[in-house]
């Protein structure tokens, strides 16, 4: 390859690796382990937590699997098998079950954890590519990986095998999510920070509700309406009917459209009827999409009877990172 352009060579290697791993994933999907559904049910029925363990690269993959499970409704954490032999076995209780990962199925560091599980009748779900290995022989349920070649040039570095294990862990997590009917608001409970948390914030979490809302009646003179809008600073006022329901809104645009003789009019005569509203339980991202589509800067949040509960301004969404 001495005459090959380095960029071309690198791209060729990358494409080869991705194709090898993609082919292995297709094979895993076609040859899904027979115990997969039983493993999902066992995890759903567990009284305790799902303990994930593995050594080396399998351990790194195991940590990610445990983190994904924990964030999607399945209590789970990673126990390092070597540390388990020095006291961390105390983390594993008879109410738990273990997911152990070993490509060869012969990882010696898993020995004490396997023995601990057998002693206390703790179920083991094994992930390996060797059906007759020590791990798979000891396992209660077996998630057998296809014997696909590693993607590296020497066929030894964990590449395809770790990709398969990671994907199988994702498949478990998603199957469990759907079995539990896991909801976006539950997801946000475990992801309160960062961009993801902001995207899952609800209207109720961002809306203003404590201070007096900019609300007037249909008979309120427009001079008083303007004073109310100015005092609250949202650029909008809600108009209530006789039952206290939101029947209209007045925005800065409504003021401009009715500038001629404005002070001779009442709120009911200027208001835009049947205003767009949101419910407190909606995602703030959905409310922001409504504001962008309607080219407005604020929305009232109302209850099932159309009574106003709060107000959400576009700036509240932007400050929270909802965009």
């Amino acid at each position: 390859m001495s005459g090959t352009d380095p960029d071309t060579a690198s791209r060729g290697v990358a494409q080869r690796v991705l194709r090898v791993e993609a082919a292995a994933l297709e094979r895993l999907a076609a040859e899904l382990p027979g115990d997969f559904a039983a493993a999902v049910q066992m995890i759903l029925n567990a009284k305790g937590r799902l303990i994930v363990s593995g050594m080396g690269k399998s351990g790194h993959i195991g940590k990610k699997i445990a983190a994904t499970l924990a964030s999607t409704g399945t209590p789970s954490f990673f126990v390092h098998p070597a540390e388990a032999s020095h006291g961390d076995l105390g983390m594993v209780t008879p109410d738990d079950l273990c997911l152990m990962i070993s490509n060869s199925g012969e990882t010696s560091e898993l020995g004490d954890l396997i023995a601990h599980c057998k002693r206390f009748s703790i179920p083991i779900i094994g992930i390996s590519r060797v059906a007759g290995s020590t791990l798979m022989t000891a396992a209660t349920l077996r998630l057998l990986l296809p014997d696909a070649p590693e993607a590296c040039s020497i066929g030894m570095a964990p590449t395809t095998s770790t990709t398969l294990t990671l994907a199988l862990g994702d498949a478990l997590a998603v199957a469990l999510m759907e079995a539990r009917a896991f909801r976006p608001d539950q997801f946000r409970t475990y992801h309160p920070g960062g961009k993801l948390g902001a995207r899952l914030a609800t209207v109720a979490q961002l809306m203003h509700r404590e201070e007096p809302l900019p609300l007037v009646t249909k008979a309120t003179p427009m001079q008083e309406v303007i004073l109310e809008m100015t005092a609250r600073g949202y650029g909008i006022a809600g108009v209530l009917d006789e039952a206290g329901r939101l029947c209209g809104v007045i925005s800065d645009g409504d003021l401009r459209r009715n500038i001629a003789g404005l002070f001779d009019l009442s709120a009911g005569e200027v208001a835009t009827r049947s205003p767009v509203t949101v419910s407190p339980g909606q995602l703030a991202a959905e409310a922001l999409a409504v504001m962008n589509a309607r080219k407005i800067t604020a929305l009232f949040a109302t209850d099932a009877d159309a009574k106003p509960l709060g107000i959400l301004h576009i700036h509240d969404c932007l400050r929270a990172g909802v965009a």
Side-chain angles (χ1 to χ4, degrees):
M1 294 180 63
S2 58
T4 304
D5 176 72
D7 289 346
T8 302
S10 295
R11 287 178 61 84
V13 171
Q15 290 170 341
R16 185 188 74 237
V17 169
L18 293 172
R19 289 186 179 119
V20 168
E21 296 194 0
L25 287 170
E26 288 287 354
R27 183 176 170 188
L28 177 61
E31 303 173 12
L32 192 67
D35 284 348
F36 183 86
V40 170
Q41 196 59 48
M42 178 182 283
I43 297 169
L44 287 170
N45 293 339
K47 294 180 180 178
R49 301 145 305 171
L50 178 62
I51 312 301
V52 183
S53 190
M55 194 69 188
K57 303 301 184 295
S58 292
H60 293 308
I61 297 299
K63 290 177 183 177
K64 191 275 177 186
I65 292 174
T68 299
L69 289 165
S71 70
T72 52
T74 299
S76 178
F77 65 87
F78 179 83
V79 170
H80 194 289
E83 297 293 342
S85 301
H86 295 273
D88 283 1
L89 283 175
M91 297 179 178
V92 187
T93 75
D95 286 336
D96 299 329
L97 67 156
C98 282
L99 174 66
M100 299 189 200
I101 305 167
S102 171
N103 188 42
S104 67
E106 301 295 343
T107 303
S108 59
E109 290 86 351
L110 287 173
D112 288 338
L113 185 55
I114 292 174
H116 180 78
C117 289
K118 290 299 182 182
R119 178 183 178 188
F120 292 100
S121 300
I122 298 169
I124 298 172
I125 300 171
I127 298 180
S128 175
R129 65 173 177 80
V130 183
S133 62
T134 299
L135 171 59
M136 297 301 257
T137 301
T140 312
L141 295 175
R142 300 163 184 83
L143 300 180
L144 186 66
L145 299 174
D147 188 15
E150 301 289 8
C152 71
S153 58
I154 60 174
M156 298 177 68
T159 47
T160 304
S161 57
T162 50
T163 297
L164 289 173
T165 305
L166 181 62
L168 190 59
D170 287 342
L172 274 175
V174 174
L176 288 162
M177 284 178 69
E178 296 192 8
R180 298 182 196 278
F182 196 72
R183 304 185 309 274
D185 61 307
Q186 293 173 292
F187 193 70
R188 188 182 187 278
T189 299
Y190 305 124
H191 297 78
K195 185 68 174 177
L196 188 56
R199 287 177 55 197
L200 294 171
T202 63
V203 171
Q205 291 168 321
L206 301 184
M207 73 183 189
H208 301 267
R209 67 173 103 195
E210 300 299 332
E211 67 270 22
L213 298 175
L215 298 171
V216 297
T217 68
K218 290 190 289 185
T220 303
M222 282 306 300
Q223 186 171 355
E224 294 180 24
V225 173
I226 292 174
L227 291 175
E228 182 69 15
M229 291 174 66
T230 303
R232 304 304 170 206
Y234 297 113
I236 191 173
V239 181
L240 303 179
D241 65 14
E242 293 76 7
R245 296 178 298 236
L246 190 72
C247 64
V249 294
I250 299 173
S251 66
D252 289 337
D254 293 315
L255 298 182
R256 289 191 293 273
R257 283 188 290 272
N258 293 275
I259 192 66
L262 183 63
F263 289 160
D264 296 327
L265 301 174
S266 66
E269 294 172 306
V270 174
T272 297
R273 300 301 181 96
S274 302
V276 177
T277 61
V278 290
S279 70
Q282 282 184 255
L283 293 178
E286 294 176 333
L288 180 60
V290 171
M291 286 189 271
N292 286 332
R294 298 296 184 109
K295 295 182 171 56
I296 55 179
T297 59
L299 283 170
F300 278 97
T302 60
D303 64 15
D305 295 321
K307 294 184 178 180
L309 301 174
I311 190 168
L312 181 70
H313 196 278
I314 194 169
H315 290 164
D316 301 320
C317 297
L318 298 177
R319 277 193 295 269
V322 181

